[in-house]
Amino acid sequence: MMELWNIEKSCFDKGLQYICGVDEAGAGPLAGPVYAAAVILPPYCEIEGLNDSKKLTEKKREKLFDVIVEQAVAYSIARVEAEEIDATDILSARMKAMQLAIDGLSVQPQLALIDGNRDKGKSAAITASHETVIGGDGKSASIAAASILAKVSRDRYVVEELERDYPQYQFAKHKGYGTKLHYEMLDQYGPCAAHRKTFLKKWAEKNA
């Protein structure tokens, strides 16, 4: 657990107090928004099982979501809709969602740790003081916490709201990803308002 605090420790050692981890979820799916979360944790707080969201079961992520929200000094969750992803591009949408999450924190961080190696797209960038961390969701407690909040928030939205609004696509089963079932539903019903049209170019060409 303590190795997850190595990056934050180096920041604390420089006199920085409020460090937030930032991550996003839902860059790859064919439908729905991209989500991002920013989290400031109390220094060296122990959250049992904290890890990169991709390495955790859905049940474990759900449980950790509540623990993180309860323990965090501050947290914020933001999203950018499919329509805006199509109007710009997914990299810009990811950057915008992450900056929106940072902006939404009730305590402004002195430094944001951004998962990945990108901090700007064509039409949006991380404007807060930040550092990028490749594989950060497995190296930083703050980023790991953000990855869980972003992933759980997106999954809940897809399973609850998209499933309710567009039941014919069976979003609860594939969560918007490009699975065989999802493409079968697209073949049957065509895209809905929640689909990212720019992600369906090959499918559209095939069905033209």
Side-chain angles (χ1 to χ4, degrees):
M1 177 67 198
M2 281 312 293
E3 63 267 16
L4 273 180
W5 284 99
N6 287 343
I7 295 172
E8 283 87 346
K9 182 181 185 301
S10 68
C11 298
F12 298 147
D13 288 348
K14 292 172 190 167
L16 299 175
Q17 186 179 0
Y18 296 116
I19 313 298
C20 80
V22 189
D23 201 3
E24 45 80 16
L30 308 179
V34 61
Y35 269 75
V39 182
I40 300 174
L41 293 174
Y44 309 115
C45 76
E46 287 194 32
I47 298 175
E48 191 180 340
L50 184 63
N51 204 338
D52 171 5
S53 66
K54 295 185 288 295
K55 294 177 180 171
L56 300 169
T57 64
E58 187 173 350
K59 190 176 177 183
K60 186 70 176 168
R61 285 195 299 266
E62 285 280 350
K63 191 176 172 185
L64 282 167
F65 183 98
D66 295 335
V67 177
I68 292 162
V69 165
E70 195 177 295
Q71 291 212 22
V73 172
Y75 74 93
S76 169
I77 298 159
R79 73 188 201 202
V80 171
E81 305 295 340
E83 190 179 4
E84 190 168 346
I85 294 169
D86 284 341
T88 55
D89 59 272
I90 186 60
L91 178 60
S92 296
R94 285 169 53 207
M95 297 304 122
K96 181 174 179 179
M98 289 198 278
Q99 184 59 50
L100 284 171
I102 297 166
D103 291 342
L105 289 165
S106 58
V107 175
Q108 278 305 294
Q110 292 154 299
L111 183 70
L113 301 174
I114 310 292
D115 183 54
N117 63 349
R118 310 294 287 272
D119 61 1
K120 59 180 177 287
K122 285 179 188 171
S123 63
I126 307 294
T127 55
S129 177
H130 68 278
E131 289 177 9
T132 56
V133 184
I134 296 169
D137 40 12
K139 295 176 182 173
S140 153
S142 306
I143 297 177
S147 78
I148 291 165
L149 295 199
K151 173 70 174 160
V152 171
S153 298
R154 185 193 172 273
D155 284 355
R156 285 177 181 174
Y157 173 80
V158 173
V159 169
E160 292 165 15
E161 297 192 37
L162 289 189
E163 177 71 18
R164 180 197 66 212
D165 294 344
Y166 307 101
Q168 68 272 36
Y169 295 98
Q170 301 183 50
F171 279 114
K173 289 186 179 173
H174 53 69
K175 296 193 172 70
Y177 286 90
T179 64
K180 185 169 178 279
L181 172 65
H182 194 174
Y183 278 112
E184 283 171 2
M185 297 303 101
L186 277 165
D187 290 342
Q188 195 168 341
Y189 300 106
C192 69
H195 279 100
R196 304 171 182 178
K197 310 304 184 287
T198 50
F199 280 48
L200 296 174
K201 284 179 180 171
K202 285 184 181 174
W203 174 85
E205 283 167 14
K206 194 181 80 175
N207 289 274

